[in-house]
Amino acid sequence: MFDKKFYVSVFSVVGLLLTTIIWSQSSKDNKVDAALFSDQSEKLSNGMVVLELFTSQGCSSCPPADALLEAIKNTYPDNVFVLSYHVDYWNYTGWEDPFSDKNYTVKQSRYYTKFKYRGNYTPELVVNGTEHMVGSNKINVIEAIDKYSTIESQNMLGISGVRRSKEKVSFEYKVDGDVLNKEIRAVLLLNERTTKVKNGENRHRTLKNSNIVVAEEYMDLKKTSGVGVIEIPSIVKEGENITLMLFVENQEADITGAAKAHL
């Protein structure tokens, strides 16, 4: 005899199981697999790795790259330098990214001119100013870290005398190695901020961003040592943790040295 209630119950249970499996897989896809980083930090040698992520809170493809950036920051606290540049060309979708800056879009455009690809995209990750890749591609990013960590830096860069006041950060620097036709880039990063996005492709989502670039200055490198100052923008709230990063760059925007100080 056909028992309708029995079959309805069975199909309901099967449907619930399938939904649970699909949801679980989807959740995994949006998270960084910790196994990818197992023992990786122990393999890192003395070479520096600078990872510049071009991202936006208005881009639905960017949150996985943002999460990967945070995982890398936590896994490699010393010789890997992670930066998150928020571009402004996604603001048209209805959400104005509070960290977006047209200057960061211009910066990204200089990279695509250098690398000779079609145009800006997000999430894009630039490694040591020498190559680019999709910022959410975990395997490629880890391979890049392994590759560049074995290459000795052309310049050793040191930071000292770092002082943070309410409005600015002052510092001293010293560079070893050839400084001909090179400059220093000083970058101020907001360590972390969580934002509730109300519109755009990520509407109704709460996004966590790490190492957000909030200020950037370039300085001529005519001597191997000197002093510098970078202003703290008003978007940084009192008591929030920030990081100062310094980079030595040549005329082709290749990064040849790096140092950081947590404030």
Side-chain angles (χ1 to χ4, degrees):
M1 179 180 293
F2 179 76
D3 190 338
K4 183 178 180 180
K5 291 183 178 180
F6 170 77
Y7 283 102
V8 169
S9 299
V10 170
F11 287 132
S12 296
V13 172
V14 172
L16 179 60
L17 287 173
L18 288 174
T19 301
T20 302
I21 292 171
I22 293 171
W23 180 87
S24 177
Q25 184 61 46
S26 176
S27 297
K28 290 179 181 179
D29 290 341
N30 288 325
K31 293 181 180 179
V32 176
D33 186 355
L36 288 172
F37 294 100
S38 61
D39 299 325
Q40 291 293 321
S41 59
E42 296 179 3
K43 299 178 183 178
L44 193 65
S45 58
N46 292 327
M48 56 137 202
V49 185
V50 180
L51 305 177
E52 298 175 274
L53 177 67
F54 292 91
T55 185
S56 172
Q57 291 182 355
C59 163
S60 61
S61 300
C62 288
D66 297 328
L68 180 59
L69 190 81
E70 181 186 15
I72 292 170
K73 180 183 76 170
N74 295 332
T75 305
Y76 309 97
D78 298 320
N79 290 353
V80 177
F81 300 74
V82 297
L83 304 88
S84 180
Y85 285 95
H86 288 236
V87 296
D88 69 343
Y89 50 82
W90 280 98
N91 291 351
Y92 78 93
T93 61
W95 176 254
E96 185 171 347
D97 188 329
F99 304 108
S100 64
D101 192 312
K102 64 179 181 180
N103 292 321
Y104 304 154
T105 300
V106 172
K107 182 183 187 70
Q108 187 184 22
S109 297
R110 289 173 182 156
Y111 275 133
Y112 88 66
T113 300
K114 173 182 178 178
F115 298 134
K116 296 180 173 60
Y117 55 92
R118 184 170 296 178
N120 289 342
Y121 68 93
T122 54
E124 178 188 22
L125 191 72
V126 177
V127 187
N128 282 23
T130 60
E131 66 173 286
H132 71 102
M133 64 190 64
V134 176
S136 56
N137 191 316
K138 304 170 189 177
I139 301 301
N140 286 354
V141 174
I142 292 173
E143 288 177 349
I145 292 173
D146 289 342
K147 170 186 173 182
Y148 286 94
S149 65
T150 62
I151 302 174
E152 185 176 356
S153 301
Q154 296 179 27
N155 295 106
M156 296 301 294
L157 178 59
I159 305 177
S160 62
V162 181
R163 295 178 178 83
R164 174 182 179 175
S165 67
K166 185 176 180 180
E167 299 178 348
K168 62 184 180 180
V169 173
S170 58
F171 56 90
E172 302 172 11
Y173 65 86
K174 183 177 181 180
V175 183
D176 292 331
D178 182 18
V179 297
L180 182 64
N181 296 324
K182 293 180 180 178
E183 59 186 352
I184 281 189
R185 173 168 37 126
V187 184
L188 202 60
L189 310 171
L190 178 60
N191 288 12
E192 185 178 297
R193 178 76 69 81
T194 299
T195 306
K196 292 183 179 179
V197 179
K198 299 178 180 179
N199 296 298
E201 291 191 0
N202 289 313
R203 59 187 176 277
H204 307 314
R205 297 184 66 176
T206 299
L207 302 181
K208 182 179 181 182
N209 296 113
S210 297
N211 280 20
I212 309 160
V213 176
V214 293
E216 184 172 71
E217 297 287 346
Y218 282 86
M219 300 179 294
D220 291 334
L221 187 53
K222 296 180 179 179
K223 298 181 179 179
T224 57
S225 62
V227 297
V229 175
I230 187 167
E231 294 185 1
I232 302 174
S234 59
I235 195 170
V236 178
K237 301 175 183 177
E238 186 175 355
E240 284 190 304
N241 294 325
I242 56 177
T243 298
L244 172 68
M245 290 189 183
L246 299 184
F247 303 103
V248 180
E249 296 183 8
N250 61 22
Q251 292 181 319
E252 289 73 42
D254 297 335
I255 300 174
T256 61
K260 57 186 169 184
H262 300 289
L263 305 175

